[in-house]
Amino acid sequence: MKVAVYPGSFDPITNGHLDVLKRAASLFNIVYIAVARNLQKSTMFTTEERLEMIRGCTTQYENVRLDSFDGLVVDYARQVGAEVIIRGLRALSDFDYEFQMALMNRHLEKKIDTVFLMPHEDYTFLSSSVVRELVKFGGDISGFVPTNVEAALLKKIRR
Ligand code: COA
């Protein structure tokens, strides 16, 4: 049984994240999408809102579980019996940060490896902050996020 954790801030989840998730779900028996609660950065959406948005666009996956976590990602991975941490690599610019995090995580727990998956090239330039900025200034985000996320973003900025 191969269990993986896909951690992230998911503020909000985008089609790029979903592309990575689809690939992970086809490679592992169980994939936990783990929403980080205590992040260094401030978020547009609360943890519960981020979870709700993910729930709304991942129901088709029988082997994907949704959860949130505090503290270190390796501690969470141990808790759920995962041997693998999934991270998406969009471009070379992601590499330094991801490399450092993967090596630190391996230092913290040598039994857990990080597996990098490349999303489709259409999503190379996509990030949650780009989506947040676009929606604030009235840009079209329909190709970048699922419809339930688009609705949540529009609702949030109209408040
Ligand atoms: N498609 C679109 N965007 C993507 C993407 C993809 N496939 N992959 C990454 N991104 C973007 C995200 O949208 C996000 O964009 P933003 O900064 O504009 O919001 C950015 O890349 C990074 O996001 P994310 O993947 O969520 O990672 P993160 O840097 O927010 O880190 C954790 C979140 C949870 C992985 C990390 O902070 C963590 O592990 N925290 C726990 C503490 C810990 O264990 N640290 C490691 C050891 S010190």
Side-chain angles (χ1 to χ4, degrees):
M1 190 75 146
K2 286 278 172 202
V3 181
V5 169
Y6 182 23
S9 41
F10 303 114
D11 185 42
I13 190 160
T14 67
N15 288 343
H17 292 122
L18 288 169
D19 186 275
V20 169
L21 179 69
K22 182 180 74 187
R23 292 169 202 278
S26 72
L27 292 169
F28 297 94
N29 299 102
I30 298 177
V31 179
Y32 285 86
I33 306 193
V35 175
R37 285 187 173 271
N38 293 333
L39 289 162
Q40 307 275 18
K41 49 191 181 188
S42 63
T43 56
M44 183 182 210
F45 292 98
T46 64
T47 308
E48 278 61 37
E49 288 171 331
R50 286 179 277 147
L51 285 165
E52 193 51 42
M53 283 184 282
I54 299 172
R55 192 170 295 118
C57 59
T58 55
T59 47
Q60 69 272 38
Y61 298 110
E62 281 179 7
N63 62 337
V64 169
R65 313 260 191 279
L66 183 51
D67 203 358
S68 62
F69 73 102
D70 275 318
L72 294 175
V73 72
V74 286
D75 289 337
Y76 175 76
R78 252 190 239 121
Q79 244 177 58
V80 296
E83 293 167 6
V84 167
I85 295 170
I86 304 287
R87 295 290 291 167
L89 262 191
R90 291 162 297 171
L92 199 55
S93 50
D94 283 341
F95 184 78
D96 278 351
Y97 172 68
E98 293 297 340
F99 184 65
Q100 188 184 24
M101 199 156 69
L103 291 184
M104 180 53 78
N105 283 333
R106 196 161 68 189
H107 172 78
L108 294 169
E109 174 55 80
K110 64 176 185 318
K111 288 187 196 138
I112 298 177
D113 264 307
T114 302
V115 168
F116 294 101
L117 296 174
M118 257 84 69
H120 192 278
E121 59 271 22
D122 286 355
Y123 306 124
T124 303
F125 56 89
L126 187 56
S127 73
S128 301
S129 51
V130 161
V131 167
R132 292 195 302 269
E133 183 150 313
L134 266 178
V135 83
K136 251 182 232 163
F137 296 113
D140 179 13
I141 53 163
S142 55
F144 303 142
V145 290
T147 49
N148 69 310
V149 173
E150 185 179 3
L153 277 158
L154 291 172
K155 192 170 158 199
K156 183 67 94 177
I157 57 152
R158 282 188 195 129
R159 261 184 207 157

